[in-house]
Each structure stands twice: as C-alpha cells, then as structure tokens.
Amino acid sequence: MSSNDSPARPPHPTGAGALGCGCAVLVVLLGVLVLVFVQLTWGSAGAADYPRVAPEEMAERAFERSQEAYDVLGFTRTVRPGVEKVGVSTENTFDSGFCYDGGPLGLDDKTVDGAYTMSHDWALDEVPASQAVPGLRRLHQRLKDDGWEVTSYREGTDGQDWSLFVQRDDGDERMSFTWFPDRAYFLGGASVPCAYDPAWEEGDVGPAGDDVRPPVFGPA
C-alpha cells in the first residue's frame, strides 16, 4: 500500500441488511411485550377465580379432609373443640386467613377484599410409635394413590421427627402431619383454597370465618 492510499472503510449496510436488523429489533420488542402481558395476566388472574362460598362450608371441607386422614391413621380418640396449651395438649381448631393478590407483575402483597382461606388444625398427645409409625406409612401411600402430590416425607431415625406434607390443585389445598417421638405428640392440619365470603361488606375487617368453631373431632 502506498502512502497516498487510504485505509479501506467497512462497507455501508445494504438495504436488505438494515431491514434485517430492524426486524430483529422488532422481534425482541414484541417478545418483551408478550412477556409483560403474560405477567400482567398471571398476576391478576387468581383473585377473580375464587368461588363465592360461605366460611362455614369451606371450614367443613377442611374438617372432612382432616377426618379422612384421621381414619387412615387409625386413631379412634375424640377431641373436643379448642386447645388448652398449644404444642402440649390435644387440639381441634379452625383458623382463617387472608388471601393475597400479587398485583400486575406478581410482586405486590395485597389482601383481596372479601376473600379468605380456612384451615383445620388438630393434635393428639400420648401417641406411641406403635400407632404413629404404621399410621403415617399407611397415610403416605393412601394419599399418593388418591392423587395428592407428596412435597415432603421423612421417616425419622434416632428419635427424629416423622413428617408428611402433601398438596394438590397447584398447592391450593394442603395437608401436613408431624409426629414428635420425644413428646409422643402428633400434629395434623388441612387447608382449603381461597373463596369469597358472600356476606362480606365494604368496611368489614379481619378475614371471614374467624368466628367459626369446629364440632367434636374424631373418626368419621
């Protein structure tokens, strides 16, 4: 190359090349818009799907789930409503909670007006290994056969706790069971999906169903 020669310059993009770049950018932008739309839809879809059901009916459903599991476990004792000392005495209680809306992007944590969730908690004291171990193994298999997803199952060794956690309907319905060998104490619980309280009115505070009381708990 002579001293008078200029370095070669890169060629300008042709019309076809520029068009290709523009299309690529457009595709990326469309992809982003689709993603945002999916997030908006996903974040706001759950609340509108809640059924309108009275808290008493949802509480009864949770109670029935606990009762079905109780039968499979083989327990025959009856438990009066209430609890004297949490984690020590027998228990038979309902609990209600709020339902939450994730917002347009699923990042919020707002309660849904008029929506609630119900759960039933129960416990037995003085449960020996001869009852708890075969009962939990039997319940584990039964729930799997009935289509529940087992999210966690542990057979304790060397005095460790035994536990079983299951869910279905994408986690809207759950059950949990734990046996503490050192205390011979057995915990169980069932929660059901969110619902709208038909009697809810603007200005009501607290989750619906917080005044619902269970009947005597025991074998069906």
Side-chain angles (χ1 to χ4, degrees), residues 167-181:
Q167 67 176 28
R168 64 183 180 186
D169 297 332
D170 295 325
D172 286 341
E173 195 166 2
R174 300 173 181 268
M175 288 196 290
S176 62
F177 310 90
T178 305
W179 177 60
F180 303 92

Side-chain angles (χ1 to χ4, degrees), residues 96 98 111 113-115 197 199-211:
S96 64
F98 291 106
T111 59
D113 290 342
D197 179 12
W200 181 85
E201 296 180 354
E202 191 71 35
D204 287 350
V205 296
D210 57 358
D211 58 347

Side-chain angles (χ1 to χ4, degrees), residues 7 23 25 49 80 82 97 118 121 128 139 142 153 155 173 188 196-197 210 217:
C23 289
V25 172
D49 294 338
R80 298 179 61 184
M118 295 295 302
D121 300 305
L139 181 62
R142 174 66 69 83
Y153 175 61
E155 295 191 353
E173 195 166 2
Y196 282 117
D197 179 12
D210 57 358
F217 180 63

Side-chain angles (χ1 to χ4, degrees), residues 87-105:
V88 177
S89 64
T90 60
E91 180 176 359
N92 172 21
T93 59
F94 282 140
D95 186 32
S96 64
F98 291 106
C99 295
Y100 294 88
D101 182 1
L105 297 179

Side-chain angles (χ1 to χ4, degrees), residues 1-10:
M1 179 184 296
S2 67
S3 59
N4 294 327
D5 291 335
S6 300
R9 296 182 180 179

